[in-house]
């Protein structure tokens, strides 16, 4: 079933007492309930339930091939008649030279070309659907189709990619206009954009999706020629034989230039505060964040555990104040906020870990104290039960990410993109199980305790304290 509070899927165990074991591994399982379980069924059944949670299938073959021009191909087989094939391009917002939104315009151009070329009969119907998205690190274009039309799908992807070099200024103008029309500008989006703009000042990672200026056709051409090259592209496939996809890649992508492109430089993190006052909003949207490990760091999973400890909560949740997150429990009991959402954005060379919240204007000072004090508490005395519950939640998220074809495609392409290799899900779960409270405390003490936080707010921010007061709440004075 679906857990309403945590938004994760509960997977069936191979024990005949499935309902009891699911109850035991729930984050809401208390120590007193654990004692009753042991008395009723014994330790042997409990240990057998633990062993049954392991995967019964062997490790999948980690298929990864690099062509002569540097183009990479990775695949994962699955059952069924539907396959998903996608291109992951090392060309995101952080690869722009100016804050003009050209990367987002390129993503819109890819989707426009996909809609035009998908009129081919062999890719028609609901099984030949394109999707694309652009973030700060990469641009992704994927297609879901029947397995028997995979050669045509790969050919379509190659045609869409090559058509970018044939764009006329008029076509680019249409793509730029589509970028502006389809953009989502919620208060949370505005807060996150300002968060990046002040955290990584002077680095392309601080650029916004739409940009502050309008890109020109020359910007578009230069961006495509610099970033759309063979070593910067990964062709991923789920539900397709690896040897077949490699042959299709050789046939359709061998003409791409073998240019590595510019090397991304590590941004300099700056702790600061930015607020956009808007008294027409009823609540304040505010984010508190600190610098965190990158996606390829050995501490990536530890940071995800810290994110899970911070937790998520919304006033519409049915759990009320009965939540495992201490920060969310405080927000619910004292009516300090209507939404608490921990986030961890990991990039190629850095990351941001923090909390986004929506609160009443008169409560933002009190809740700011609670958020920053929680940062300090995790770094000083995080509990074993908190870490175990957080690990279970991260495990559920990892399993859910590979439960669908699109999710599995994104997972394998992300691993190759950030790490240059594939990692089996079993290895990730084993590494996750080995995380101890000491590791969590050590990382939290390094990134959460006595550091300069970055804070961004949007709304009626009259009662938001100044940065010096906020900074003073992220450490403890001890004698």
């Amino acid at each position: 079933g679906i857990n309403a509070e945590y938004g994760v899927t509960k997977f069936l165990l191979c024990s005949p007492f499935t309902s009891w074991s699911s109850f035991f591994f729930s984050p809401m399982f208390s120590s007193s309930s654990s004692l009753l379980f042991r008395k009723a069924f014994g330790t042997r059944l409990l240990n057998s339930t633990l062993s049954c949670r392991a995967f019964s299938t062997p490790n999948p073959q980690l298929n990864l091939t690099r062509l002569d021009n540097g183009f990479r191909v990775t695949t994962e087989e699955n059952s069924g008649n539907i396959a998903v094939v996608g291109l992951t391009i090392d060309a995101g917002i952080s690869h722009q030279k100016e804050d003009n939104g050209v990367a987002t315009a390129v993503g819109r151009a890819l989707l426009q070309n996909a809609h035009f070329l998908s009129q081919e009969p062999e890719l028609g119907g609901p099984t030949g659907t394109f999707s694309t998205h652009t973030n700060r690190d990469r641009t992704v274009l994927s297609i879901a189709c029947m397995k028997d039309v995979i050669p045509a799908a790969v050919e379509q992807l190659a045609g869409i990619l090559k058509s970018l070099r044939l764009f006329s200024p008029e076509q680019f103008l249409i793509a730029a206009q589509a970028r502006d029309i389809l953009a989502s500008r919620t208060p949370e989006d505005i807060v996150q954009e300002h968060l990046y703009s002040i955290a990584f000042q002077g680095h392309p990672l601080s650029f916004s999706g739409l940009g502050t200026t309008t890109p020109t056709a020359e910007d578009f051409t230069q961006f495509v020629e610099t970033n759309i090259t063979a070593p910067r592209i990964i062709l991923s496939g789920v539900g397709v034989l690896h040897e077949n996809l490699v042959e299709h890649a050789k046939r359709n992508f061998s003409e791409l230039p073998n240019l590595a492109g510019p090397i991304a430089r590590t941004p300099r993190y700056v702790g600061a505060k930015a607020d956009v006052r808007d008294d027409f909003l009823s609540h304040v949207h505010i984010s508190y964040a600190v610098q965190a490990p990158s996606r390829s760091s050995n501490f990536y999973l530890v940071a995800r555990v810290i994110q899970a400890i911070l937790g998520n909560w919304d006033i519409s949740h049915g759990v009320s104040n009965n939540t495992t997150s201490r920060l969310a429990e405080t927000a619910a009991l004292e009516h300090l906020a209507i939404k608490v959402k921990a986030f961890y954005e990991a990039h190629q060379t850095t990351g941001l870990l923090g909390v986004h919240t929506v609160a009443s204007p008169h409560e933002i000072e009190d809740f700011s104290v609670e958020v920053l004090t929680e940062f300090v508490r995790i770094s000083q005395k995080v509990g074993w039960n908190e870490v175990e519950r957080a690990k279970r939640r991260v495990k559920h998220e990892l399993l859910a990410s590979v439960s669908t074809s699109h999710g599995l495609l994104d997972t394998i392409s992300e691993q190759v993109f950030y790490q240059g290799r594939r990692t089996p899900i079993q290895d990730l779960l084993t590494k996750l199980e080995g995380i101890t409270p000491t590791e969590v405390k050590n990382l939290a003490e390094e990134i959460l305790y006595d550091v300069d936080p970055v804070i961004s707010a949007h709304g009626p921010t009259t009662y938001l304290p100044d940065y010096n007061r906020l900074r003073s709440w992220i450490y403890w004075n001890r004698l």
Side-chain angles (χ1 to χ4, degrees):
I2 302 297
N3 186 311
E5 178 185 2
Y6 298 96
V8 296
T9 305
K10 290 184 178 296
F11 295 88
L12 294 178
L13 306 178
C14 50
S15 168
F17 297 92
T18 300
S19 59
W20 280 103
S21 54
S22 298
F23 170 67
F24 173 77
F25 287 104
S26 170
M28 300 298 295
F29 190 78
S30 64
S31 57
S32 59
S33 302
S34 175
L35 181 60
L36 292 175
F37 186 93
R38 293 175 185 272
K39 288 183 177 180
F41 298 100
T43 306
R44 180 176 299 178
L45 175 60
L46 182 59
N47 293 335
S48 66
T49 304
L50 285 169
S51 63
C52 285
R53 292 182 64 83
F55 283 91
S56 60
T57 57
N59 284 354
Q61 184 178 2
L62 304 182
N63 298 314
L64 177 61
T65 301
R66 183 184 294 270
L67 304 185
D68 295 337
N69 60 353
F71 190 89
R72 288 167 289 178
V73 182
T74 182
T75 60
E76 186 87 16
E77 297 183 20
N78 70 347
S79 59
N81 297 322
I82 304 296
V84 184
V85 185
L87 294 173
T88 302
I89 310 171
D90 190 6
I93 299 172
S94 61
H95 296 86
Q96 301 173 177
K97 293 186 176 181
E98 298 179 5
D99 191 6
N100 52 19
V102 66
T104 308
V106 169
R108 299 309 309 172
L110 287 173
L111 188 59
Q112 286 181 355
N113 291 346
H115 288 162
F116 176 77
L117 295 177
S118 64
Q119 304 303 319
E120 296 294 329
E122 58 269 22
L123 287 180
T127 58
T129 56
F130 286 92
S131 63
T132 181
H133 67 270
T134 301
N135 58 25
R136 298 185 183 275
D137 292 331
R138 55 192 170 131
T139 298
V140 178
L141 173 66
S142 62
I143 177 174
C145 62
M146 302 297 292
K147 287 185 177 181
D148 55 353
V149 297
I150 288 177
V154 177
E155 185 178 352
Q156 290 283 351
L157 291 175
I160 294 169
L161 203 61
K162 295 175 182 177
S163 65
L164 290 177
R165 298 179 179 274
L166 305 177
F167 250 45
S168 64
E170 292 77 14
Q171 290 174 309
F172 166 74
L173 181 60
I174 295 175
Q177 292 174 346
R179 173 207 66 170
D180 297 335
I181 293 174
L182 299 177
S184 174
R185 296 282 289 179
T186 64
E188 184 174 352
D189 295 331
I190 296 175
V191 168
Q192 291 299 106
E193 286 186 359
H194 285 290
L195 197 70
Y196 274 88
S197 67
I198 59 178
F200 305 112
Q201 301 176 29
H203 189 274
L205 199 60
S206 66
F207 295 163
S208 62
L210 294 180
T212 56
T213 60
T214 303
T216 63
E218 289 75 14
D219 296 329
F220 184 90
T221 302
Q222 186 180 23
F223 185 86
V224 170
E225 292 180 350
T226 303
N227 297 285
I228 310 299
T229 60
R232 303 175 68 87
I233 302 176
I234 303 168
L235 176 63
S236 308
V238 173
V240 54
L241 292 176
H242 184 73
E243 296 77 10
N244 294 344
L245 193 61
V246 171
E247 291 300 321
H248 299 326
K250 291 180 179 178
R251 188 180 306 114
N252 294 282
F253 297 99
S254 58
E255 297 180 358
L256 288 174
N258 187 5
L259 301 175
I263 300 177
R265 57 188 176 91
T266 303
R268 181 176 65 96
Y269 171 82
V270 178
K273 179 175 76 75
D275 58 274
V276 180
R277 181 169 176 175
D278 186 354
D279 291 336
F280 289 98
L281 296 179
S282 59
H283 292 81
V284 181
H285 298 255
I286 181 170
S287 291
Y288 315 81
V290 295
Q291 189 176 26
S294 66
R295 178 60 180 81
S296 58
S297 171
N298 294 329
F299 300 101
Y300 170 72
L301 287 178
V302 183
R304 289 194 61 171
V305 171
I306 295 177
Q307 177 195 5
I309 293 175
L310 290 170
N312 295 333
W313 175 81
D314 192 282
I315 195 173
S316 62
H317 288 181
V319 297
S320 183
N321 58 350
N322 300 310
T323 174
T324 57
S325 167
R326 293 189 59 170
L327 181 62
E329 182 183 13
T330 302
L333 284 174
E334 301 183 16
H335 305 287
L336 297 179
I338 63 173
K339 180 180 179 181
V340 178
K341 178 183 177 182
F343 63 88
Y344 173 36
E345 301 291 343
H347 303 284
Q348 289 177 311
T349 56
T350 187
L352 284 179
L353 172 67
V355 175
H356 176 81
T357 183
V358 181
S360 170
H362 298 281
E363 307 295 343
I364 56 175
E365 181 175 0
D366 292 339
F367 194 63
S368 296
V369 175
E370 297 295 339
V371 172
L372 299 176
T373 302
E374 180 68 5
F375 285 2
V376 176
R377 188 196 66 82
I378 295 175
S379 66
Q380 299 299 312
K381 52 180 182 180
V382 64
W384 175 87
N385 57 337
E386 290 181 281
V387 175
E388 290 302 310
R389 283 195 298 262
K391 286 162 59 176
R392 294 292 183 268
R393 179 174 179 179
V394 175
K395 178 185 289 186
H396 290 162
E397 293 173 352
L398 291 175
L399 291 172
S401 67
V402 296
S403 61
T404 64
S405 296
H406 280 91
L408 183 57
L409 181 81
D410 190 63
T411 298
I412 64 176
S413 61
E414 182 181 279
Q415 290 177 353
V416 176
F417 179 81
Y418 287 107
Q419 301 174 340
R421 57 182 173 84
R422 291 279 303 280
T423 304
I425 184 66
Q426 294 91 334
D427 292 354
L428 289 176
L429 297 181
T430 301
K431 184 176 181 180
L432 178 64
E433 283 297 327
I435 295 177
T436 63
T438 302
E439 293 181 77
V440 174
K441 179 181 175 181
N442 291 341
L443 179 61
E445 189 171 7
E446 179 181 348
I447 67 175
L448 294 179
Y449 183 76
D450 197 14
V451 296
D452 295 333
V454 56
I455 300 170
S456 174
H458 177 63
T461 59
T462 305
Y463 298 98
L464 181 65
D466 65 84
Y467 186 79
N468 290 329
R469 289 193 63 192
L470 293 168
R471 176 63 175 84
S472 66
W473 293 330
I474 205 168
Y475 66 92
W476 286 343
N477 288 320
R478 294 179 175 179
L479 298 178

